């Protein structure tokens, strides 16, 4: 599957309170969460983000709380993929579990700017920066995690165990 | 053939995966002893659980649900979330669902009730689930979908983490405790310094550290990105656990030849109490460096510092004093049992006479939920665990983090104050 979108760039240690502040956690409605996505990191983000856009961040993206509302808000805001130098552990796990595509690619992060247009091939882990004419390969997922991703998330993955 | 030495974390993971030996980086499917959720994370887990069409939870005594974040319900939406969680608990006969008036902040409550024990493997849909590592358990935070899957199957997948060992030597100075030690560590290694890793706390200082101080330290492992924080169980652990446990437990210890990614040594003898300044827990300063910073609100409580010893430390400072007229002091005992003990010991009277508001247990202000939200431009000193932008209210408010001793002393002066200045 190929994704294309425009880059919204963020720095290091973007925490889950910035991704979706706790004052909005009295609901789990994805559309409502999406209206406040990234609000405390960039108040303009919810109004500016377009379907397919890509969040790009430096190290430790999604640190802090375990709230799954964070990847849910990002996905519901129309973001097609998050690419970071590194992810905080629980955010990483939650994203895989709910089927939000995430990629780690330090060299790409060094060379990308806000507004760049990207084409991402999730199957090959390939990131093309169309604005700069450069191509990068993201870190591959371990086979077991790729399995969860291929099945569309953890719930589909464990379904056969429950039956 | 002799097996390679393993850490306590590796041994607990191996046992729960039915293996003799595991190595960092391996992916395991493990049996879990306890699955935990709260009123914010459980609603999402219920939606996912229902997609699985499971008839029942894997074990209704081992799923624990504590409505503690936005309770007592702060508004209609949170009341609906709490109701959804309550209905689910009733439908599935969840034995350990804790209603308002009998509950507590989850990470103060579960150890108190003997629901989490040494050697356990625990997951919780709350990042501070790492708290139970203080008991010699492997315990880590996950999201709602992991909670849902584990409620149905009793299992979860893990990558075996590498371990960083932290060794504390020397003599703890007055006013320096577990909160200062863990903030110091986070200040040194950064908010991602232990990302995906186990943090093992050892050394002579740890051997004489109380359970409440150990809970505080394990609680904040996540603030360094850690997967879990862990302490070897000892007599102090067993004194705490005996009389609370309703089932058997197992003690695990790291082997002498266990492999560590890194070993960091600390001499605590000349340490000062510390404060983390906005907007990351790694921004750690000695209290004397930030002394005089004015504050509008002080919060003493939370899953980090809401236990009886924390309240005792605060009461020791506040006894017979009034707080600064321009400061609001909010004190939240971690559980009803802690509240009652504080009442019987006279701490609550000290707090109220000092001018503090004392509340029923709730996570409330720690995550900017309710019970002490900050306005734009306001500054709080809190014994909580995170000082991110907007954590306690307006995105232009500020949170400083400290121990209960520094928080209490600062409430008296109306500015961040080293505790020795009020004694």
């Amino acid at each position: 599957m190929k994704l294309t979108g425009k880059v919204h760039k963020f720095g290091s240690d973007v925490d889950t309170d910035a991704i979706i502040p706790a004052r909005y956690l009295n609901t789990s409605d994805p559309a409502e969460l999406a209206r406040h996505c990234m609000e405390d990191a960039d108040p303009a983000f919810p109004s500016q983000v377009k379907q397919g856009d890509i969040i790009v961040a430096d190290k430790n993206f999604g640190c802090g709380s375990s709230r799954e509302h964070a990847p849910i808000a990002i996905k519901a805001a129309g973001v097609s993929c998050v690419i970071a130098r590194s992810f905080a552990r629980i955010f990483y796990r939650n994203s895989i579990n709910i089927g939000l595509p995430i990629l780690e690619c330090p060299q790409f992060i060094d060379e990308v700017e806000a507004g760049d247009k990207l084409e991402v091939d999730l199957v090959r882990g390939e990131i093309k920066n169309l604005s700069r004419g450069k191509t990068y390969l993201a870190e591959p997922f371990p086979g077991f995690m790729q399995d969860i991703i291929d099945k569309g998330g953890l719930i589909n993955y464990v379904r056969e165990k429950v039956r | 053939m002799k097996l390679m030495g393993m850490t306590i974390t590796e041994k607990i993971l191996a046992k729960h995966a039915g293996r003799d030996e595991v190595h960092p980086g391996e992916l395991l499917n493990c049996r879990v002893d306890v699955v935990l959720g709260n009123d914010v994370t459980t609603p999402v887990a219920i939606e996912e659980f229902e997609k699985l069409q499971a008839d029942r939870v894997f074990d209704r005594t081992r799923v624990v649900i504590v409505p503690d974040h936005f309770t007592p319900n702060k508004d209609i939406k949170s009341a609906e979330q709490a109701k959804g969680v309550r209905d689910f608990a009733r439908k599935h006969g969840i034995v350990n669902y804790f209603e308002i008036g009998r509950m507590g902040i989850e990470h103060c409550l579960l150890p108190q009730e003997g629901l989490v024990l040494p050697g356990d493997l625990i997951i919780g849909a709350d990042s501070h689930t790492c708290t139970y590592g203080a008991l010699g358990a492997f315990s880590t935070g996950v999201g709602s979908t992991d909670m849902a899957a584990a409620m149905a199957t009793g299992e979860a997948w893990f990558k075996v983490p590498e371990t960083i060992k932290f060794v504390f030597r020397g003599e703890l100075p007055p006013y320096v405790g577990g909160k200062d030690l863990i903030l110091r560590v986070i200040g040194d290694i950064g908010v991602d310094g232990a990302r995906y890793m186990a943090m093992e706390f050892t050394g002579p200082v740890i051997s004489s550290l109380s359970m409440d101080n150990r809970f505080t330290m394990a609680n904040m492992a996540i603030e360094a990105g850690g997967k879990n924080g862990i302490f070897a169980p000892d007599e102090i652990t067993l004194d705490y656990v005996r009389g609370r446990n309703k089932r058997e437990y197992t003690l695990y210890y790291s082997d002498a030849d266990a492999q560590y990614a890194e070993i960091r040594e600390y001499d605590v003898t000349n340490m000062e109490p510390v404060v983390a300044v906005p907007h990351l827990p790694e921004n750690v300063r000695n209290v004397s460096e930030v002394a005089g910073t004015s504050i509008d609100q002080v919060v003493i409580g939370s899953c980090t510092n809401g236990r009886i010893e924390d309240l005792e430390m605060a009461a020791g400072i506040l006894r017979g004093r009034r707080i600064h007229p321009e400061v609001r002091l909010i004190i939240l005992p971690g559980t009803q049992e802690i509240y009652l003990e504080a009442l019987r010991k006279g701490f609550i009277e000290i707090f109220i006479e000092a001018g503090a508001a004392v509340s029923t247990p709730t996570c409330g202000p720690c995550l900017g939920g309710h019970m002490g939200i900050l306005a734009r431009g306001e500054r709080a000193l809190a014994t909580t665990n995170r000082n991110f932008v907007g954590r306690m209210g307006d995105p232009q408010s500020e949170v400083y983090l400290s121990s209960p001793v520094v928080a209490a002393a600062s409430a008296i002066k109306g500015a961040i104050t080293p505790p020795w200045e009020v004694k």
Side-chain angles (χ1 to χ4, degrees):
Chain A
M1 187 171 63
K2 280 191 183 171
L3 313 169
T4 51
K6 204 182 74 170
V7 168
H8 296 260
K9 199 176 173 191
F10 295 89
S12 292
D13 305 315
V14 173
D15 60 79
T16 51
D17 283 82
I19 298 170
I20 184 72
R23 56 185 176 274
Y24 305 118
L25 297 187
N26 55 6
T27 179
S28 55
D29 173 28
E32 205 173 325
L33 295 171
R35 282 198 283 279
H36 303 288
C37 181
M38 305 302 288
E39 185 178 288
D40 282 3
D42 174 7
F45 183 85
S47 59
Q48 289 177 354
V49 66
K50 301 263 187 313
Q51 191 67 33
D53 280 0
I54 293 169
I55 288 179
V56 171
D58 211 293
K59 73 172 178 78
N60 203 28
F61 185 82
C63 64
S65 120
S66 69
R67 62 189 70 160
E68 207 159 286
H69 311 68
I72 290 171
I74 290 174
K75 202 176 169 189
V79 171
S80 63
C81 174
V82 184
I83 309 172
R85 190 180 302 279
S86 62
F87 290 93
R89 183 192 139 256
I90 304 176
F91 182 91
Y92 181 93
R93 195 175 170 111
N94 286 346
S95 299
I96 290 179
N97 285 347
I98 70 158
L100 169 69
I102 55 171
L103 294 170
E104 289 185 340
C105 189
Q107 200 205 337
F108 160 76
I109 302 298
D110 289 336
E111 299 172 351
V112 67
E113 291 302 334
D116 283 0
K117 195 143 192 243
L118 308 183
E119 184 182 283
V120 179
D121 181 336
L122 288 176
V123 177
R124 299 168 63 184
E126 193 178 85
I127 305 165
K128 270 189 195 159
N129 189 333
L130 302 173
S131 306
R132 283 158 213 284
K134 289 194 80 167
T135 302
Y136 308 84
L137 266 187
E139 305 285 331
F141 290 101
F144 165 80
M145 270 178 235
Q146 191 62 51
D147 248 21
I148 296 179
I149 295 165
D150 293 345
K151 289 201 164 71
L154 184 69
I155 292 299
N156 289 338
Y157 182 82
V158 298
R159 187 162 274 144
E160 49 239 55
K161 283 193 190 174
V162 177
R163 285 311 171 86
Chain B
M1 189 185 81
K2 188 193 174 299
L3 300 176
M4 261 180 64
M6 287 197 287
T7 65
I8 175 171
T9 294
E10 290 157 4
K11 285 184 183 179
I12 296 172
L13 285 170
K15 176 69 182 177
H16 286 80
R19 300 263 296 267
D20 293 327
E21 191 175 341
V22 297
H23 302 283
E26 279 184 275
L27 288 159
L28 307 175
N29 200 50
C30 292
R31 179 177 58 74
V32 299
D33 293 301
V34 175
V35 181
L36 166 71
N38 59 49
D39 55 312
V40 165
T41 57
T42 308
V44 179
I46 293 170
E47 285 171 35
E48 298 303 311
F49 182 83
E50 280 166 3
K51 286 182 198 163
L52 281 170
Q53 295 173 299
D55 301 330
R56 61 182 75 88
V57 298
F58 82 104
D59 183 336
R60 59 195 192 88
T61 66
R62 289 173 182 268
V63 173
V64 180
I65 301 179
V66 187
D68 58 358
H69 276 53
F70 294 160
T71 59
N73 307 330
K74 75 169 178 125
D75 54 23
I76 294 170
K77 281 182 173 175
S78 63
E80 281 166 0
Q81 284 191 320
K83 182 173 185 300
V85 169
R86 182 179 302 116
D87 290 348
F88 177 85
R90 284 185 188 154
K91 177 179 168 192
H92 289 279
I94 303 297
V95 176
N96 295 302
Y97 167 78
F98 292 88
E99 194 52 90
I100 308 310
R102 283 138 280 173
M103 51 74 80
I105 295 171
E106 51 197 309
H107 308 309
C108 299
L109 186 68
L110 270 66
Q112 171 193 296
E113 296 299 310
L115 295 172
V116 287
L117 296 169
D120 277 0
L121 192 158
I122 304 139
I123 62 168
D126 187 281
S127 59
H128 292 108
T129 303
C130 52
T131 307
Y132 317 132
L135 294 162
F138 175 88
S139 192
T140 191
V142 296
S144 297
T145 298
D146 271 311
M147 178 190 176
M151 281 199 296
T153 64
E155 293 174 358
W157 64 270
F158 297 96
K159 186 162 84 172
V160 179
E162 291 186 293
T163 297
I164 307 179
K165 179 155 90 170
F166 299 87
V167 186
F168 296 90
R169 301 181 201 284
E171 201 175 329
L172 268 185
Y175 309 118
V176 176
K179 184 63 167 285
D180 303 293
L181 299 183
I182 190 65
L183 282 174
R184 181 93 270 162
V185 165
I186 297 162
D188 287 347
I189 67 174
V191 293
D192 65 344
R195 208 170 52 94
Y196 293 103
M197 297 171 104
M199 302 171 75
E200 188 174 318
F201 302 105
T202 66
V205 173
I206 299 299
S207 303
S208 53
L209 207 59
S210 69
M211 275 318 299
D212 284 2
N213 275 287
R214 294 181 193 184
F215 284 125
T216 300
M217 291 183 70
N219 174 273
M220 288 190 75
I222 179 68
E223 264 47 80
K227 182 172 201 156
N228 65 310
I230 198 159
F231 292 71
D234 59 13
E235 272 309 307
I236 292 172
T237 323
L238 296 176
D239 279 348
Y240 181 89
V241 168
R242 283 188 202 115
R244 298 177 195 268
N245 68 304
K246 295 162 199 84
R247 54 184 167 86
E248 295 302 304
Y249 51 89
T250 314
L251 307 180
Y252 293 93
Y253 300 94
S254 292
D255 293 323
D257 59 344
Q259 300 292 305
Y260 293 94
E262 192 184 353
I263 299 175
R264 299 183 69 94
E265 309 238 1
Y266 287 83
D267 185 341
V268 303
T269 308
N270 295 313
M271 263 188 72
E272 212 183 271
V274 294
V275 173
V277 308
H279 286 287
L280 285 175
E282 69 184 23
N283 298 334
V284 174
R285 312 275 185 272
N286 282 335
V287 63
S288 52
E289 289 177 75
V290 288
T293 307
S294 67
I295 45 177
D296 303 291
Q297 176 168 299
V298 172
V299 175
I300 298 176
S302 84
C303 60
T304 312
N305 283 117
R307 298 181 183 80
I308 194 67
E309 278 185 32
D310 299 312
L311 301 183
E312 186 172 7
M313 281 190 265
I317 300 278
L318 292 167
R319 179 175 283 117
R321 292 192 167 88
R322 298 278 304 169
I323 62 168
H324 191 277
E326 290 174 14
V327 166
R328 298 144 358 224
L329 171 58
I330 299 166
I331 301 182
L332 306 110
T335 66
Q336 291 288 73
E337 186 179 299
I338 293 167
Y339 198 163
L340 200 54
E341 191 177 348
L343 191 68
R344 287 179 178 140
K345 288 184 164 164
F347 302 159
I348 303 299
E349 202 174 322
I350 291 169
F351 297 152
I352 292 175
E353 284 181 351
V358 184
S359 154
T360 193
T362 179
C363 305
C366 171
L367 77 161
H370 60 145
M371 276 300 297
I373 303 303
L374 300 174
R376 172 188 289 214
E378 286 194 318
R379 188 180 292 136
L381 178 62
T383 68
T384 57
N385 41 55
R386 292 188 176 135
N387 55 354
F388 301 149
V389 171
R391 177 72 180 179
M392 200 175 276
D394 191 277
Q396 290 181 49
S397 61
E398 290 185 336
V399 179
Y400 286 62
L401 306 174
S402 78
S403 71
V405 183
V406 171
S410 304
I412 292 169
K413 295 288 187 186
I416 295 176
T417 302
W420 50 85
E421 289 187 9
V422 298
K423 268 290 168 186

